[in-house]
Amino acid sequence: MAEYRMNAPLSDADAEKLRCGDVVFLSGVIYTARDAAHKRLMDLLDQNMELPFDLKGAVIYYVGPSPAPEGRPIGSAGPTTSYRMDSYAPRLHGLGVKASIGKGRRNAEVINALKKFGGVYFGATGGAGALLSMRIAEARVIAFEDLGTEAIRELKVSEFPLLVINDSQGGDLYVTPDRKAVGLE
Amino acid sequence: MRTLDSDVIVDAVAGMCIHANRYLPEDVQRCFAQCSSKESVPAAREIFRQLTENCTLAARTGLPLCQDTGLACFFVELGQDLHIMGRNIREAINDGVRKGYDEGRLRKSACDPFTRANTGDNTPSVIHFDIVPGDTLRISFMAKGGGSENMSRVTMLAPAEGWEGIRKFVLQRVAEAGPNPCPPIVVGIGIGGTFDYAPVLAKKALLRKLGDRNPDPGLDAREKELLADINKLGIGPMGLGGLTTALDVKMAVSPCHIASLPLAVNIQCHSARHEEVEL
Ligand code: SF4
């Protein structure tokens, strides 16, 4: 398990060298999107319309931040549960997205898309919203402002702490529960 | 008869919303420290370290502990000899939520289930009322996040399934939830009542302090047995493996119909934010 400092957007080479269990401190530009924003991105794609950000190498952070207090760019900003974006993620990976950041398990389609398109799924610590907020230097709403917390924001992050959960080789870091130990199997 | 101005309720509720979202109860923080010291998996210790630092940072900066500041849930015990002046009590509580979520820069997470349009002020909250003897008003507030609430379930077991059926359902639920509800979790279990009442029991059980004892010795033993079994699943903090999948198990029981065995499992994430006030 290695430790890397990387910059977003991610290059193909960066994404492909990562293995599950690696720690990554990510700097650069990433984009927020959760349930409602993903739905709108799909609508734009269906209508062949331009998207609010360049998908090439993009890192999408599944987060709905709390409102920014006076003097800070953003409020608390930890990950939301990722499975709700599973139905959208493969299409976005096919169009150039290199990574998503969230918490919790992905389904087989997402894991296959990571293999097929050379992407990764990063975990950030759920519920550590104040801690993660400290690594966000700038935040700007770039689309769907009416969605409030669910709007798409461009974030400038600095050494944002991540763990590779799923890599481009099909690896999965999450533990399989020991059902045998408690007589469930 | 005692009277209470509804403005007092508004301010008390607003204060609880803000404070509970910034400061994790002491018993929860203490439990982090105890569980962390038992972990040998480096990732598990690292998660506990981050959660502890997160508490320090939230207290220092005033940022909420988690960006999901929850749907506002309340358990209210209203003394039957108390008269509330001004607004009705439900409106007073909702006004308190509006005020607290606005002034505390908390996230508004309430939306229409179909259109998904945000209601804009985190109301309506979910309020359970109980009328009790006396002339005081006790309000318990819980900021319930969506991630752990989504992993909760209710089922109607056959009476023949008994304790073994209950045990298996709970363990299966925790195993299936895996890393999704931000483990280490607290598991609230409601047994008995009706289809609608079992989940209320489960949620209310989550208000108890971590590490306390169930006043019923039989239930206390079952809570301990389940906690040990849940932790044998090995999911660990954030699903990365380790000894602490759950911080505690809290059980509440009520008689049920001779044909039924209702069971509710309400999962609470590590960000177990709740507070209570007596007015
Ligand atoms: S499950 Fe709890 S800790 Fe995790 S993101 Fe939701 S509210 Fe926060």
Side-chain angles (χ1 to χ4, degrees):
Chain A
M1 288 178 213
E3 197 177 296
Y4 297 99
R5 283 179 164 66
M6 285 186 175
N7 277 300
L10 286 177
S11 68
D12 291 355
D14 275 348
E16 270 158 40
K17 89 171 162 205
L18 291 174
R19 293 292 174 269
C20 65
D22 288 350
V23 170
V24 175
F25 292 96
L26 190 69
S27 298
V29 174
I30 65 176
Y31 299 94
T32 73
R34 46 172 291 158
D35 312 63
H38 271 83
K39 191 153 187 298
R40 289 211 190 162
L41 288 175
M42 296 303 126
D43 291 345
L44 291 179
L45 286 173
D46 290 343
Q47 294 161 27
N48 282 318
M49 289 176 50
E50 208 187 317
L51 297 189
F53 61 96
D54 187 1
L55 296 187
K56 195 172 169 351
V59 178
I60 296 183
Y61 185 15
Y62 303 147
V63 58
S66 66
E70 198 77 29
R72 286 204 47 80
I74 198 164
S76 197
T80 192
T81 326
S82 307
Y83 72 88
R84 300 193 315 269
M85 272 55 76
D86 281 357
S87 57
Y88 309 118
R91 186 171 183 190
L92 292 172
H93 278 288
L95 293 167
V97 166
K98 275 288 128 188
S100 56
I101 303 171
K103 57 144 173 133
R105 272 190 200 292
R106 308 312 302 262
N107 70 11
E109 283 79 48
V110 177
I111 291 170
N112 283 334
L114 297 179
K115 281 204 270 192
K116 188 162 167 202
F117 303 112
V120 285
Y121 168 52
F122 291 117
T125 301
L131 178 120
L132 293 168
S133 176
M134 299 296 140
R135 308 295 179 97
I136 300 172
E138 286 172 41
R140 183 169 66 93
V141 173
I142 58 162
F144 316 142
E145 184 144 26
D146 61 299
L147 293 180
T149 183
E150 298 207 54
I152 294 187
R153 288 170 172 80
E154 184 186 87
L155 304 182
K156 286 216 173 98
V157 294
S158 164
E159 309 239 315
F160 200 81
L162 300 170
L163 194 56
V164 178
I165 303 290
N166 296 110
D167 59 28
S168 60
Q169 313 298 303
D172 190 350
L173 188 65
Y174 284 136
V175 160
T176 304
D178 189 354
R179 289 181 163 88
K180 264 206 190 97
V182 293
L184 288 180
E185 275 169 9
Chain B
M1 186 179 268
R2 209 182 137 227
T3 57
L4 181 69
D5 194 316
S6 66
D7 285 346
V8 176
I9 302 174
V10 174
D11 289 340
V13 166
M16 280 199 291
C17 294
I18 297 172
H19 193 270
N21 270 298
R22 279 185 196 158
Y23 305 93
L24 213 49
E26 243 170 59
D27 54 294
V28 180
Q29 295 199 47
R30 204 175 321 122
C31 198
F32 286 177
Q34 282 163 358
C35 293
S36 174
S37 67
K38 290 181 204 146
E39 292 286 358
S40 55
V41 177
R45 295 185 78 109
E46 170 60 15
I47 296 297
F48 276 119
R49 191 197 65 73
Q50 290 186 19
L51 297 185
T52 307
E53 193 185 336
N54 191 59
C55 290
T56 311
L57 283 168
R60 202 174 75 208
T61 60
L63 287 171
L65 290 152
C66 181
Q67 75 291 337
D68 183 352
T69 51
L71 209 59
C73 299
F74 294 91
F75 284 89
V76 177
E77 286 175 13
L78 174 64
Q80 61 186 13
D81 297 324
L82 180 69
H83 174 64
I84 292 166
M85 287 185 338
R87 318 164 174 76
N88 81 57
I89 184 169
R90 187 182 290 277
E91 210 36 53
I93 291 173
N94 279 322
D95 278 350
V97 170
R98 285 185 188 100
K99 187 171 182 219
Y101 275 71
D102 177 47
E103 290 175 2
R105 312 290 291 154
L106 305 178
R107 196 179 85 182
K108 290 85 185 165
S109 306
C111 75
D112 180 281
F114 293 117
T115 66
R116 312 305 297 177
N118 199 296
T119 66
D121 58 9
N122 216 44
T123 69
S125 36
V126 177
I127 312 174
H128 299 284
F129 287 102
D130 203 358
I131 311 292
V132 299
D135 62 1
T136 57
L137 174 66
R138 182 189 285 271
I139 305 176
S140 302
F141 162 73
M142 195 189 265
K144 194 65 176 72
S148 58
E149 198 71 353
N150 281 345
M151 295 297 114
S152 303
R153 292 290 185 275
V154 58
T155 186
M156 303 298 279
L157 297 177
E161 293 178 80
W163 171 245
E164 193 48 27
I166 293 169
R167 185 185 160 273
K168 283 203 165 140
F169 186 84
V170 173
L171 289 167
Q172 196 63 42
R173 180 79 303 262
V174 173
E176 270 165 34
N180 292 358
C182 290
I185 56 177
V186 184
V187 186
I189 302 170
I191 302 166
T194 46
F195 175 75
D196 52 309
Y197 192 50
V200 179
L201 292 171
K203 179 153 271 121
K204 199 171 179 189
L206 291 172
L207 292 173
R208 279 172 46 202
K209 280 200 185 345
L210 302 190
D212 74 349
R213 304 201 61 144
N214 193 309
D216 176 328
L219 287 183
D220 193 64
R222 291 193 157 154
E223 286 177 355
K224 293 203 165 64
E225 176 194 334
L226 262 182
L227 177 62
D229 278 350
I230 287 170
N231 285 334
K232 278 185 207 150
L233 289 169
I235 296 164
M238 283 298 134
L240 302 172
L243 301 172
T244 325
T245 298
L247 300 166
D248 214 340
V249 172
K250 303 295 185 194
M251 221 180 263
V253 172
S254 182
C256 54
H257 193 283
I258 50 174
S260 315
L261 180 51
L263 169 63
V265 184
N266 198 183
I267 295 188
Q268 167 66 59
C269 55
H270 62 71
S271 204
R273 296 151 291 175
H274 57 88
E275 214 162 292
E276 73 175 37
V277 67
E278 199 176 292
L279 301 171

